[in-house]
Amino acid sequence: NEPYAIAKIAGLKLCESYNRQYGKSHGLDYRSVMPTNLYGPGDNYDADNSHVIPGLIYKFHKAKINNDKEVIAWGTGKPKREFMHVDDLADACIAVHNMDNLSYKALVQPQSNFINVGSGEEISIFDLANMIRDITGFEGDITFDKSKPDGTLLKKLNSSRIKSTGWSCKIKLKEGLLSTYKSFLKETEL
C-alpha cells in the first residue's frame, strides 16, 4: 500500500501547491477528494491482484461455475471496511467541482485542501463475503484462512465535510454489488 498511498498524497500536495503558487495570479482552483474503498463496473477482477470486492466476486463466481464446496477468504473476517460505488464518487466530484469558491474554502484547511468522500457505513469482511456469496448464487461454505493477514481492523473516513453540504451516497452496498456482479458477468469470461 505504501507506493499507492504516497502517489495519492503527492497528487493532493501538487494541487495544494499549484493553488498556493498560482491561485491568485492565474485563477487556479484545483480541488481534491479522497475517496474510501471503491468498487463498481470495470474493476480489476484478477484472482491474485485485486481489491477485496472484485476478488471475492471472482472467487465466488468461479466456485459457483466449478461446483466447488468452499471459497477461502483471507484473515478472520473481523476487519471492517467502508465501501463506495464509483458512480457515487463521480457524483461527489461533480458536487465539489460545482461548489462556489467561498463554500469550498470554508470546508477545507489552507494546507490540507482535500475533502474525504465515503459512504459512512462499515461492513465486516465476514458479512461482505456472505453478501457476495448470496449475490453470486454460490451455495458452498466460506472458510476464513486465519494464517493470512487481516490488515487494518477499521478503515473509515470522516466524511462530515462533504455531508455538511447535503451530499450523500445514493447507492446502497447491496444494490451496488448486484450491479457490479452483473457488469462482471458481461466483462469477464471464465
Side-chain angles (χ1 to χ4, degrees), residues 74-148:
W74 279 27
T76 63
K78 292 179 183 176
K80 292 186 175 184
R81 295 291 180 267
E82 175 184 22
F83 296 101
M84 183 172 62
H85 194 277
V86 294
D87 289 350
D88 278 329
L89 174 62
D91 185 57
C93 289
I94 292 167
V96 169
H97 173 76
N98 288 338
M99 282 181 200
D100 65 79
N101 199 345
L102 288 176
S103 297
Y104 180 74
K105 297 279 188 213
L107 288 179
V108 298
Q109 301 164 2
Q111 297 297 314
S112 181
N113 66 356
F114 66 90
I115 298 176
N116 288 336
V117 180
S119 65
E121 297 177 11
E122 291 179 301
I123 186 170
S124 71
I125 299 301
F126 177 87
D127 290 340
L128 176 69
N130 280 287
M131 188 181 289
I132 292 173
R133 175 181 58 185
D134 293 345
I135 286 168
T136 61
F138 175 69
E139 295 179 356
D141 295 325
I142 304 170
T143 301
F144 285 89
D145 182 353
K146 295 176 176 85
S147 72
K148 301 292 186 192

Side-chain angles (χ1 to χ4, degrees), residues 8-18 20 111-112 114:
K8 287 194 331 187
I9 292 167
L12 294 173
K13 292 300 177 185
L14 180 66
C15 289
E16 289 171 13
S17 297
Y18 280 152
R20 276 195 313 274
Q111 297 297 314
S112 181
F114 66 90

Side-chain angles (χ1 to χ4, degrees), residues 39 134-136 172-184:
Y39 71 96
D134 293 345
I135 286 168
T136 61
K172 296 295 182 193
L173 183 60
K174 187 170 185 176
E175 172 193 347
L177 290 174
L178 281 165
S179 69
T180 300
Y181 182 56
K182 287 177 184 175
S183 71
F184 165 83

